[in-house]
Structure formats: structure tokens, C-alpha cells
Amino acid sequence: MAAKSRELQAEIERYFAAGAEAIGDQAAMNAFLELREALNTGRVRAAEPCPKTPLGWKVNPWVKQGILLGFRLGTLVHMGCDEFSFVDKSTYPSRKFSVDHGVRVVPGGSSIREGAFLARGVVCMPPMYVNAGAYVDEGTMVDSHALVGSCAQIGKRVHLSAGAQIGGVLEPVNATPVIIEDEVLIGGNTGVYEGTVVRQRAVLAAGTILTRGTPVYDIVRGEVLRASAEEPLIIPEGAVVVPGSRELKRGTGNLSGLSLYTPVIVKYRDDKTDLSATLEDLLR
Ligand SMILES: CC(C)(COP(=O)(O)OP(=O)(O)OC[C@H]1O[C@@H](n2cnc3c(N)ncnc32)[C@H](O)[C@@H]1OP(=O)(O)O)[C@@H](O)C(=O)NCCC(=O)NCCS
């Protein structure tokens, strides 16, 4: 880590630990604003790829502490203009973009908070929302009604389809955020929550929901994937996950003929999947 980031980390950790005493302290505010700018430019991230860890990603708890510090330090202010009036923490206005950023934000009900990074070539279709600490990499499409929650890490050329909800995690600060790796297709009305990791080129069919408590049945490899105390739920590279159901055997479930929602890995990505997942290049 560069010396500058190490210094910033030490400051953020100090002001976060100071609790309410940091409120009104201009030096604490300056440290937060420096972090917010570093998040805007993508220089600092809430989680980053790290080949040395078993997960392949390293969480930076101090970054999440800094984002929480921003909420503590901010006061409620009026934002917007006559037609569109909002009240929110002064530390988290919406980000302003210029043509030089190379990000398309189509007009109409979208908002990207300060402290979120969007790489060049990202397309945002209204209405959509990107929260503080999120990182959205090159060429990704954030379609209508999609949410990129706080600190979520979205890779290159990902398609977040209409209504996709990518959960955020600020607390606990050392929890892994949701991570969607490069070239993943997240279908319409899907939900990915609680630190779930979706490996490269995986496909979540429309309507799939993944949480820490959701077992995923892989009928290709004959495994059941679950989160553990040490690891979040991890969807393997290239997996094609569709919403399914399984018989409920416990309690009186069987007698009542109930079944539970269960995502199923039906196959690993092939040419047909690539065809189904072809992005609308002309829109870009
Ligand atoms: C997953 C998806 C990409 C299809 O991938 P594919 O590789 O072409 O899948 P296949 O058609 O070969 O299907 C493989 C198996 O999964 C099943 N399956 C496919 N999609 C499914 C779905 N959405 N729900 C339940 N089962 C599904 C198929 O029936 C098939 O099983 P079978 O052989 O027993 O019949 C597609 O279903 C999908 O969800 N696309 C996203 C659409 C979307 O959200 N668009 C948003 C635009 S904003």
C-alpha cells in the first residue's frame, strides 16, 4: 500500500475510534473528504483483488470505517433545486459527472453517491442507484431499477439487468462486501446479498436470489455450495444458476407437501449461454 494511503488509513482509524468527539473536528472532516475523493477515483477500494488470500479478495475494514465516519460527521442539509428537493447528510451529496469521466448517466431518476467509483464506459440506465464505497469497473451496464449497494465490487463488462439488487455491507466493517467478478450476467429481478461472491463469467438467471443462508445445488458437479463461518457463498466461475425448488423434508413440511426456493447450477457456461447473454452492444 502506498505511504499516502497508509497515512490516510491511520487517520481514519483514529477519528473513527474517537466516536462522537470527532464531530465538528475539521481535521476529521478533511480526512474523510480525502478518503471520499480517493473512492471517487478508484484509488482506494472497500475490497480489492488479492491473489494471496484464499478468496482472492482482501477487505479493507478501514475504508468502511471511513464511510461510516462520513455519516457521523455529516449534518442534514437541503440539496437539489426547486423542482427536485432533497435532505441528506452534507457529506454524501450525489456525484457530479462531466463528459471527461467517460460514464453515461442517462437522464431520469438516477443517483450516484459521492464515494462511489465508476470506470469509463459504464452505462447507467434510469432509475438506478450506486451507494458510497461501491466500485463499478469498465464497460459495465447498470440497468433500470438496479441497485449497487454500499461497498459492492462490480467487475468489468458485467450486466446488471433491470431490477437487479446488489446488497451493500457497511457493518460489520470486516465483512466481505458482495463481489461480482468480470463478465458476469446478473439477470432481471435477481438479488445478491450478504457478501456473496460471484466468480467470473457466471450467469444468474432472472429471479435468482442468493444470501449467506441460501444453499446452491450444483447438479453438474454433484455438490451443495454453502457459506461457512469463514467464507461467504461463492458461485463458481462460469456457473449458470437458475431459480429452483426442493422438497422440504423437515418438520411437517413433507406432510404438507411444501418445497423451498433453491438456486440450482444447471450447467456451466457454453456457446448457447453466450448467445442468450449477448449484450446489446448497439446501446453502448
Ligand atoms: C440463464 C439464461 C441466460 C439461459 O442460459 P442458457 O445457457 O441459454 O440456458 P439453457 O436454455 O440451456 O437452459 C439450461 C437449463 O436451465 C433451465 N433454465 C434456463 N433458464 C431458466 C430460468 N430462468 N429459470 C428456470 N430454469 C431455467 C432450462 O430449462 C434448462 O433446463 P432443462 O434442460 O432441464 O430444460 C436465461 O434463462 C436468463 O435468465 N437470461 C437473463 C434474462 C434477463 O434477465 N434479461 C434481462 C434484460 S434487462
Side-chain angles (χ1 to χ4, degrees):
M1 193 198 290
K4 202 171 164 214
S5 295
R6 266 199 304 273
E7 268 172 43
L8 182 59
Q9 173 175 352
E11 281 185 77
I12 293 287
E13 285 171 345
R14 193 167 68 247
Y15 293 124
F16 180 77
E21 280 175 29
I23 297 171
D25 180 342
Q26 190 55 43
M29 180 63 90
N30 291 346
F32 165 72
L33 291 176
E34 189 181 334
L35 170 66
R36 199 181 73 181
E37 184 52 24
L39 288 169
N40 281 350
T41 57
R43 183 171 67 79
V44 167
R45 296 174 62 165
E48 56 195 281
C50 175
K52 286 187 207 144
T53 63
L55 191 62
W57 285 81
K58 173 168 122 9
V59 182
N60 295 319
W62 71 273
V63 173
K64 289 204 221 168
Q65 287 178 340
I67 293 169
L68 291 170
L69 178 68
F71 282 101
R72 194 180 286 157
L73 299 182
T75 50
L76 288 186
V77 292
H78 181 260
M79 298 173 180
C81 55
D82 287 348
E83 291 82 10
F84 300 101
S85 161
F86 309 97
V87 174
D88 196 13
K89 291 277 180 162
S90 53
T91 37
Y92 285 106
S94 56
R95 267 194 71 178
K96 293 179 180 55
F97 286 86
S98 70
V99 172
D100 294 340
H101 285 101
V103 176
R104 281 176 58 199
V105 184
V106 180
S110 296
S111 189
I112 297 153
R113 228 177 193 172
E114 283 280 345
F117 170 74
L118 277 73
R120 297 184 72 80
V122 169
V123 179
C124 305
M125 296 304 289
M128 47 67 71
Y129 189 72
V130 181
N131 209 344
Y135 186 104
V136 184
D137 216 337
E138 282 164 33
T140 283
M141 160 73 89
V142 186
D143 217 327
S144 301
H145 291 280
L147 164 74
V148 182
S150 55
C151 299
Q153 305 290 302
I154 313 291
K156 295 179 172 59
R157 296 173 297 282
V158 169
H159 189 113
L160 298 182
S161 298
Q165 305 292 295
I166 307 299
V169 268
L170 276 175
E171 291 178 286
V173 285
N174 57 351
T176 319
V178 173
I179 295 168
I180 310 290
E181 295 188 347
D182 296 349
E183 294 176 9
V184 164
L185 169 69
I186 304 284
N189 278 315
T190 48
V192 187
Y193 305 108
E194 296 185 301
T196 297
V197 177
V198 182
R199 294 285 191 214
Q200 290 183 30
R201 293 176 48 74
V203 173
L204 304 188
T208 304
I209 310 272
L210 303 173
T211 71
R212 270 198 86 81
T214 318
V216 177
Y217 283 66
D218 182 340
I219 61 166
V220 180
R221 296 178 179 169
E223 292 168 357
V224 181
L225 309 175
R226 295 175 192 270
S228 65
E230 296 78 38
E231 272 197 339
L233 176 65
I234 302 175
I235 301 301
E237 185 170 336
V240 177
V241 189
V242 306
S245 64
R246 70 187 151 92
E247 194 183 359
L248 181 53
K249 296 195 177 125
R250 280 189 301 114
T252 59
N254 199 11
L255 294 175
S256 312
L258 296 177
S259 57
L260 286 182
Y261 159 72
T262 299
V264 179
I265 298 178
V266 280
K267 63 190 225 180
Y268 282 75
R269 199 162 167 148
D270 57 19
D271 291 348
K272 182 167 179 305
T273 321
D274 287 343
L275 201 64
S276 304
T278 302
L279 299 182
E280 301 276 353
D281 285 337
L282 284 177
L283 285 177
R284 282 153 188 272

